């Protein structure tokens, strides 16, 4: 479980996070949503330890990050997996090289053990014929799947995803969402996803946090978000015509 | 780490051999021709062509001129490769995995560039060979005169001085572009700007350090 308490972060005069508190439970897909500029990415980077908060604390299963020594922080980071918006695969390495990279850096496994693990995770993300291809030779959806494979190859306790289905067609986006959801439940991982894709919210949002201007505006599940009366949330959720129609149907049905 | 260092030696040192050999050969040739064309007084011996070529190539053209070329070729490669990794969040990915990204990306380059004096040694040899080729086959000097000039008043410390300079220049070529790539911010356009800035600063620092080292070692 990840617990965030009164998180503040500023860049110069700009106060980006203004005291966010929340809990992200194990085995659940937790979604952070909000408009561009609401502080989602800064919040996620604070969770990842890439930004140090100005005030407040983040604890991972009881261990407060800021109180850990540099080596303990490094060890904790090895328990984290991250799927970046642009996949962030290493261009100079093949798919297999990318997935094997953390194993080679942090484990003392033999070459054959590493190969077995890489084969297993690539099969898990439904990529069986791409071992020797370079990131530039595969599609965006495949790159995302390689990024997921790389993120889970070390059996992480925490999985973070920054807009995992941006730039993907709706069908592939749903496949990626479902894959992350399945992996979260299968390996009992604490997953935090940064997104503004409402399809993801509907599909896998077991817990949703809505950020607005650096504050937590609303918190709930994908079932609750369509019933909320919070104006900021409804403005965001029903900004697309499709969802406006869905809401209209919901209201008519209720009446 | 061993694999990374070998890869960087291949990319930065071995991969630069072609251009270094090409430039050194023709620069040596031009120095030889220019010296020959400027000897108008019949009292000046023809072995001056070999002597001047040797001194110019060993003291300045091989270590300094080659390093300026390398600042452009290797330096911009280092800045753009690290900068692209920054822009595409590959450095963030390394950090999140718990890898010390600065050490992982820069240290192998510094170690690889310690092999740079070998490149300079080859540049010296090829430069002098280019001078001999141009001098002899251009009809400016006989082979015997040229070789005599090469051996005239040879001071071995000049080669040591040249290698000392090349080691210092190697560290400059590895570190300044790495700094500009690692700490860059922005997108693809900024990668290009960072490469240009890195080349300018590397060249400026090489020129200044060259002056200081020459004053310290030969002055």
């Amino acid at each position: 479980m990840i617990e965030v308490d009164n998180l503040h972060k500023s860049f110069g005069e700009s106060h980006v996070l203004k005291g966010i508190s929340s809990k992200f439970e194990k085995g659940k897909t937790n979604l952070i949503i909000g408009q561009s500029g609401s502080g989602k990415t800064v919040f996620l980077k604070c969770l990842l330890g890439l930004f140090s908060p100005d005030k407040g604390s983040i604890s991972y299963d009881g261990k407060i990050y800021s109180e850990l020594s540099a080596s303990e922080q490094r060890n904790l980071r090895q328990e984290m997996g991250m799927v970046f918006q642009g996949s962030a695969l290493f261009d100079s390495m093949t798919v297999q090289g990318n997935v094997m990279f953390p194993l080679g850096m942090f484990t003392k496994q033999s070459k054959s053990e590493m190969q077995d693990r890489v084969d297993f995770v690539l099969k898990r993300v439904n990529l069986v014929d791409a071992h020797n291809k370079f990131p530039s030779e595969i599609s965006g959806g495949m790159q995302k799947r390689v990024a997921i494979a790389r993120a889970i190859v070390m059996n992480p306790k925490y999985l973070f995803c920054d807009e995992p289905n941006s730039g993907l067609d709706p069908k592939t986006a749903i496949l990626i969402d479902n894959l992350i959801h399945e992996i979260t439940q299968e390996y009992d991982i604490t997953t935090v996803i940064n997104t503004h894709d409402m399809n993801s919210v509907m599909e896998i949002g077991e817990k949703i946090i809505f950020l607005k201007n650096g504050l937590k505006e609303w918190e709930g599940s994908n079932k609750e978000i369509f019933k909320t009366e919070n104006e900021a949330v409804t403005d965001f959720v029903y900004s697309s015509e499709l969802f406006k129609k869905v809401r209209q149907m919901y209201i008519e049905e209720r009446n | 780490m061993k694999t990374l260092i070998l890869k960087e030696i291949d990319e930065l040192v071995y991969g630069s051999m072609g251009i270094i050999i090409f430039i050194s050969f023709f620069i040596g040739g031009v120095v030889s021709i220019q010296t020959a064309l400027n000897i108008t007084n019949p009292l000046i011996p023809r072995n001056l062509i070999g002597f001047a070529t040797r001194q110019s190539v060993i003291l300045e053209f091989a270590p300094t001129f080659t390093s300026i070329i390398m600042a452009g070729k290797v330096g911009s490669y280092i800045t753009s490769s690290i900068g692209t990794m920054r822009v595409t969040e590959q450095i963030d990915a390394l950090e999140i995995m718990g890898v010390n990204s600065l050490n992982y990306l820069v240290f192998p380059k510094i170690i690889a560039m310690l092999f740079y004096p070998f490149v300079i040694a080859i540049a010296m040899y090829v430069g002098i060979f280019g001078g001999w080729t141009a001098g002899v086959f251009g009809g400016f000097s006989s082979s015997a005169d040229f070789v005599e000039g090469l051996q005239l008043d040879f001071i071995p410390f000049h080669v040591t001085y040249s290698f000392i300079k090349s080691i210092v220049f190697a560290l400059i070529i590895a570190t300044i572009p790495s700094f500009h790539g690692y700490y860059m911010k922005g997108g693809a356009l900024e990668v290009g700007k960072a490469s240009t800035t890195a080349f300018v600063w590397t060249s400026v620092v090489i020129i200044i350090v060259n002056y200081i080292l020459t004053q310290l070692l030969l002055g």
Side-chain angles (χ1 to χ4, degrees), chain A residues 48 50 74 77-78 84 88-91 101 106 150, chain B residues 88-90 92-100 104:
Chain A
L48 286 159
L50 291 175
R74 212 167 277 281
R77 280 188 184 180
Q78 287 169 27
F84 285 88
L89 299 177
F90 304 125
D91 306 321
F101 180 80
F106 302 112
R150 187 178 67 179
Chain B
T88 55
E89 296 180 307
Q90 292 175 47
D92 286 345
L94 285 171
E95 286 291 329
I96 288 160
M97 284 176 201
V99 177
N100 182 337
Y104 179 80

Side-chain angles (χ1 to χ4, degrees), chain B residues 25-215:
Chain B
F25 183 85
F26 285 98
I27 288 291
V30 168
V31 169
S32 176
I33 294 169
Q34 293 277 22
T35 309
L37 292 176
N38 282 285
I39 300 174
T40 50
N41 189 330
L43 294 175
I44 297 174
R46 302 306 289 179
N47 62 18
L48 179 68
I49 299 168
F51 178 81
T53 305
R54 183 199 75 202
Q55 289 298 88
S56 306
V57 168
I58 289 179
L59 289 173
E60 286 308 319
F61 282 107
T64 312
F65 192 78
T66 304
S67 296
I68 299 289
I69 301 292
M70 290 287 272
K73 186 194 177 287
V74 173
S76 58
Y77 165 76
I78 291 174
T79 308
S80 56
S81 61
I82 297 179
T84 305
M85 287 186 78
R86 170 66 74 195
V87 169
T88 55
E89 296 180 307
Q90 292 175 47
I91 292 179
D92 286 345
L94 285 171
E95 286 291 329
I96 288 160
M97 284 176 201
V99 177
N100 182 337
S101 60
L102 193 61
N103 182 50
Y104 179 80
L105 294 172
V106 180
F107 180 70
K109 290 178 174 56
I110 292 174
I111 298 297
M113 284 303 283
L114 292 179
F115 286 84
Y116 184 55
F118 290 104
V119 178
I120 298 303
I122 290 167
M124 285 177 192
Y125 176 81
V126 176
I128 290 171
F129 178 67
W132 177 84
T133 307
V136 173
F137 292 100
F140 300 107
S141 166
S142 68
S143 181
D145 279 343
F146 193 92
V147 172
E148 190 189 337
L150 288 182
Q151 294 170 342
L152 189 70
D153 288 336
F154 177 66
I155 301 168
F157 181 71
H158 284 175
V159 178
T160 311
Y161 154 78
S162 187
F163 283 142
I164 291 170
K165 283 208 300 189
S166 64
I167 289 172
V168 177
F169 293 162
L171 294 174
I172 293 167
I173 293 168
T175 51
I176 293 178
S178 296
F179 172 84
H180 280 92
Y182 192 84
Y183 291 105
M184 66 149 294
K185 286 187 176 113
L189 185 65
E190 281 74 17
V191 173
K193 283 181 183 171
S195 297
T196 310
T197 312
F199 169 66
V200 171
W201 274 110
T202 308
S203 306
V204 167
V205 173
I206 285 173
I207 298 292
I208 293 169
V209 169
N210 184 39
Y211 174 80
I212 294 167
L213 284 176
T214 305
Q215 181 67 45

Side-chain angles (χ1 to χ4, degrees), chain A residues 26-46:
Chain A
K26 205 175 174 188
K28 281 190 175 177
T29 42
N30 303 276
L31 267 60
I32 305 165
I33 61 169
Q35 284 182 308
S36 299
S38 58
K40 299 193 301 289
T41 303
V42 174
F43 183 59
L44 194 71
K45 287 194 172 179
C46 285

